[in-house]
Amino acid sequence: MFRIRLHGRGGQGIKTASRILGTAFFWEGYEVQDAPRYGAERRGAPIFAYVRASKEVINERGIINRPDLGIVADESLLLLPVADVLGGVTEHSVLLIVTDEAPGVWKKRLNLKGRVFSLSSKVIVEEHAGFPLVGAACVGAAARLVGVISRKALEKAIREQLRPLGESIIGRNLAKARTAYDQMEASAGCVTEREEPSADSYETPHWIDLPFEEAGLSAPYIHAAATSLKVETGAWRSLRPVIDRRRCHRCGLCDIYCPDGVISLDARGYPHIDYQHCKGCLICLIQCPTHAIKAIPEPGLRAKRHQGRGR
Amino acid sequence: MLGTGTPTCAGCGALENIKIFCDILGEKTVFVNAAGCMTLLTVYPFTPFRGSWLYTAMASAPAGAQGVRDALDLLIRDGRLAPEEYLAVVVLTGDGTAYGMGLSATSAAIYRKLDFIYICYDNEGYGNTGYQFSAATPYAARTATSKGPRGYRGYKKDLFAIWAAHRPAYVATVIGTEPADLARKIEKAKGLRGPRLFIALSPCPTGWQFEPAKTVEIGKLAVKTGIWPLKEYLDGKVVHTRIPPPRGRRPPVEEYLKRQGRFTHLFSPTRNEEILKDIQASVDAYWEGVI
Ligand SMILES: Cc1ncc(C[n+]2csc(CCOP(=O)(O)OP(=O)(O)O)c2C)c(N)n1
Ligand code: SF4
Ligand SMILES: [Mg+2]
């Protein structure tokens, strides 16, 4: 059985990408399961989806713990523990990362034993209303890496799943997927099905006994105010708004329009952004009348910090 | 006032509204919240609210508000709560609830002259479940359940008129991207007693399909093009609080529509002149009736 896990951020089309990949497998005669997994979080938050494909009946359920192929549509997720992109990744697992750094850099940085491939992050910048192209590129590359999906089945799956979005969006996605498919030609088939674990290797869960609590303790009452401050939604951001003080006229519009209320004004009226919670919507950037706010990519920043620490 | 770290989408126009409501209403509030995107604001053990919050089923938030109001009033009457500890009861629901399955409970609460504030954040569809159409969805919009070449075949219900027909203390349409107008209306309602109701248009990047950065731009265009009239009902009279320039001088409504993915089928592969004309004509007719 092929077990493939796709990681991205809400809004990047990961759910649809998994559906396309599953459909392509289906047209090649596979039994397929595909499902997205996310909680209350929204656009920008780390999410994942997974695909199982097998020539036999699939009895396995639930999330995939040990992927044969891991797809990472947003490299910043690799440095985010909560996203758990590397969970269950072994020397058998192939990783496909959307990044502008060489696969070798990531292999070393993350101490990976398996093979790593990269796709240029240009697809993210070219995003466009409709289905984000990064998903199509990932699916195209994945289809070739598993080696059992023909170009025809891939294209049929894309057409089928994106039909409501119209011909022009389908065309752009097809083009992205084809390019990525061709790019992986030399490595076709390098993702292989892991040997199925035998029943003997089953480990019983480590049960924990929980005492029975009084209703007053165990009911979900929240007694404190604004506990949401503990949730670091700053991790959702792929672009970071940065304020250039010299251009800021202290009008305060960024503060007024920020839906999340993460901008505050200091005693002199200069705005400050709370990066622990800023989700990176960039409304402030568009609303600033003096263009004092610019956006810089988050992963670059993080990588730089990383290097700094090494020195 | 409203805490950061909420799970709403980046650029959520509903949150933009609620942030301002919370700033002005303060922490002496009990929010009674029907199922929808904003229910996720409070997911145990996290809440952005500084006052209290209670969850109800979609159809019954105003009934929940009645129970909370009665209980608080009894506590004050019996001296178990000081009068200074008065808490405002605030119903918070989406349009799916307000325009649809919660309308009957709201009608009954207004009829009973319940002392409460109702905030309907109107993202014009069932956002939390993947953006299916609701009775607030505008004509021709694409939703998960209106995917045909002509989009949604129904028309947005006139909830303002329906609510106002009950003669409550106050009704207003607002939008978070016009914060001065919104703040003035909340202040006004805060000084009144009885049913006070708000319909807050909430540009929704996820359901309306636009980049989160454009929430404010799109909200402002909704007002400028005249498709979202800002008005209030008080003492039996309806007053428009912002009047766009007359026909011909105000931007055409397609400036608003073409920025949203849910209307792209009206522009490509070919322009659907008929539907675009229909939408413009209904906006023009509205304002002719006003001026
Ligand atoms: C009686 C009932 N039916 C269906 C649901 C499932 N449900 C949860 S949220 C939601 C959408 C509500 O739409 P709206 O009120 O517009 O709020 P939004 O999600 O757009 O914020 C639905 C249908 C429910 N909770 N209760
Ligand atoms: S779906 Fe729309 S209304 Fe719901 S949280 Fe996201 S942006 Fe806000
Ligand atoms: Mg809604």
Side-chain angles (χ1 to χ4, degrees):
Chain A
M1 187 188 326
F2 283 105
R3 295 178 179 83
I4 300 170
R5 207 165 65 201
L6 301 89
H7 294 263
R9 290 179 181 276
Q12 281 182 324
I14 296 305
K15 178 178 133 199
T16 314
S18 75
R19 179 52 55 92
I20 294 173
L21 192 57
T23 308
F25 269 116
F26 180 78
W27 290 125
E28 293 296 356
Y30 280 77
E31 283 266 341
V32 177
Q33 252 181 28
D34 70 79
R37 181 56 83 93
Y38 41 76
E41 298 80 6
R42 296 301 160 104
R43 201 167 169 143
I47 59 149
F48 68 94
Y50 53 87
V51 179
R52 287 191 178 88
S54 173
K55 290 281 185 183
E56 317 276 323
V57 172
I58 303 177
N59 291 316
E60 201 172 276
R61 295 290 184 271
I63 59 174
I64 288 176
N65 291 316
R66 297 198 303 164
D68 305 314
L69 170 63
I71 300 175
V72 189
D74 187 321
E75 63 176 352
S76 65
L77 295 174
L78 283 162
L79 301 168
L80 210 67
V82 292
D84 198 24
V85 174
L86 300 179
V89 168
T90 65
E91 67 284 348
H92 167 86
S93 319
V94 174
L95 223 52
L96 172 71
I97 309 175
V98 177
T99 178
D100 291 326
E101 289 183 293
V105 174
W106 283 105
K107 229 176 128 95
K108 214 170 140 205
R109 186 179 286 156
L110 303 172
N111 192 22
L112 296 168
K113 301 282 186 288
R115 297 187 67 173
V116 178
F117 295 91
S118 71
L119 277 176
S120 159
S121 73
K122 260 202 236 125
V123 283
I124 298 182
V125 181
E126 286 169 35
E127 251 173 43
H128 146 121
F131 180 60
L133 299 167
V134 63
C138 289
V139 170
R144 197 57 175 268
L145 289 174
V146 297
V148 298
I149 296 177
S150 66
R151 198 183 243 273
K152 214 173 116 206
L154 171 68
E155 294 182 358
K156 189 170 171 190
I158 292 178
R159 287 195 176 283
E160 190 177 303
Q161 294 302 326
L162 301 185
R163 186 171 301 133
L165 299 180
E167 265 312 309
S168 97
I169 290 177
I170 292 177
R172 290 169 54 120
N173 280 283
L174 279 173
K176 280 291 165 215
R178 278 189 204 117
T179 309
Y181 189 84
D182 293 343
Q183 204 183 318
M184 296 297 154
E185 186 181 353
S187 311
C190 78
V191 174
T192 52
E193 302 173 65
R194 200 192 292 260
E195 224 178 272
E196 292 306 319
S198 73
D200 313 335
S201 69
Y202 174 77
E203 270 183 51
T204 45
H206 306 289
W207 298 109
I208 305 170
D209 282 324
L210 286 176
F212 183 79
E213 300 278 14
E214 246 182 85
L217 281 179
S218 57
Y221 289 129
I222 308 174
H223 294 281
T227 50
S228 60
L229 298 181
K230 295 261 182 252
V231 184
E232 299 204 358
T233 42
W236 298 13
R237 206 169 53 226
S238 48
L239 290 172
R240 165 182 292 228
V242 178
I243 302 170
D244 178 354
R245 270 205 168 211
R246 286 161 307 174
R247 301 183 77 156
C248 171
H249 286 193
R250 294 182 278 182
C251 67
L253 284 177
C254 52
D255 171 29
I256 290 173
Y257 288 125
C258 172
D260 282 278
V262 301
I263 304 184
S264 53
L265 305 180
D266 65 21
R268 296 171 58 206
Y270 283 109
H272 296 270
I273 300 175
D274 163 8
Y275 291 117
Q276 266 182 336
H277 296 105
C278 164
K279 295 172 185 163
C281 69
L282 302 180
I283 288 175
C284 55
L285 180 145
I286 294 203
Q287 290 306 314
C288 174
T290 61
H291 306 291
I293 304 180
K294 64 177 196 301
I296 55 175
E298 240 358 291
L301 248 189
R302 288 215 185 93
K304 239 184 252 152
R305 243 194 283 140
H306 221 78
Q307 286 163 10
R309 239 183 265 136
R311 248 182 259 131
Chain B
M1 185 59 64
L2 191 69
T4 53
T6 59
T8 54
C9 303
C12 173
L15 194 64
E16 182 135 58
N17 277 297
I18 294 166
K19 177 185 96 163
I20 299 172
F21 271 100
C22 287
D23 279 345
I24 297 175
L25 296 177
E27 55 190 72
K28 289 192 161 183
T29 48
V30 182
F31 275 84
V32 182
N33 193 178
C37 285
M38 295 306 125
T39 327
L40 301 176
L41 289 176
T42 298
V43 177
Y44 184 80
F46 302 114
T47 178
F49 293 109
R50 290 177 201 273
S52 291
W53 178 93
L54 177 83
Y55 175 71
T56 70
M58 275 185 87
S60 41
Q66 178 84 52
V68 173
R69 179 74 275 148
D70 289 351
L72 289 169
D73 287 349
L74 286 174
L75 288 174
I76 291 177
R77 188 198 70 186
D78 296 347
R80 293 160 67 192
L81 199 65
E84 312 82 77
E85 291 184 75
Y86 175 91
L87 301 175
V89 179
V90 185
V91 165
L92 176 64
T93 83
D95 49 283
T97 288
Y99 286 71
M101 58 179 112
L103 186 52
S104 152
T106 314
S107 171
I110 304 175
Y111 176 71
R112 293 190 305 264
K113 298 196 177 3
L114 176 64
D115 181 25
F116 79 127
I117 292 174
Y118 191 132
I119 306 168
C120 160
Y121 60 94
D122 182 358
N123 61 2
E124 309 193 311
Y126 281 12
N128 193 38
T129 42
Y131 210 66
Q132 296 82 12
F133 69 73
S134 77
T137 299
Y139 178 59
R142 183 175 61 218
T143 69
T145 41
S146 56
K147 285 189 171 175
R150 300 167 72 82
Y152 180 54
R153 305 303 296 143
Y155 292 85
K156 191 178 174 81
K157 203 184 260 186
D158 189 352
L159 184 64
F160 178 90
I162 296 169
W163 276 353
H166 290 69
R167 304 189 146 264
Y170 188 72
V171 191
T173 58
V174 294
I175 186 165
T177 58
E178 297 298 336
D181 181 77
L182 171 57
R184 193 187 58 74
K185 288 172 175 167
I186 305 170
E187 291 285 4
K188 193 178 241 178
K190 202 180 165 185
L192 302 168
R193 285 289 169 268
R196 294 148 286 164
L197 307 100
F198 290 85
I199 311 171
L201 189 68
S202 302
C204 163
T206 309
W208 298 12
Q209 296 165 14
F210 60 80
E211 285 305 312
K214 297 209 172 130
T215 294
V216 174
E217 183 185 332
I218 285 172
K220 286 190 173 294
L221 276 167
V223 175
K224 273 189 202 150
T225 58
I227 198 165
W228 186 247
L230 293 175
K231 53 188 170 182
E232 61 190 355
Y233 164 91
L234 182 67
D235 295 334
K237 278 200 297 286
V238 175
V239 174
H240 284 79
T241 55
R242 189 73 60 85
I243 297 192
R247 189 170 155 181
R249 282 209 281 124
R250 63 174 172 256
V253 74
E254 63 173 87
E255 288 302 315
Y256 168 73
L257 304 175
K258 75 181 182 198
R259 286 172 167 74
Q260 305 173 42
R262 62 176 175 157
F263 293 111
T264 43
H265 55 289
L266 301 183
F267 299 95
S268 83
T270 51
R271 272 176 71 90
N272 193 324
E273 286 302 345
E274 182 203 332
I275 290 183
L276 288 170
K277 251 198 218 142
D278 275 356
I279 299 175
Q280 184 65 55
S282 71
V283 172
D284 292 344
Y286 178 88
W287 288 104
E288 254 146 54
V290 170
I291 305 156

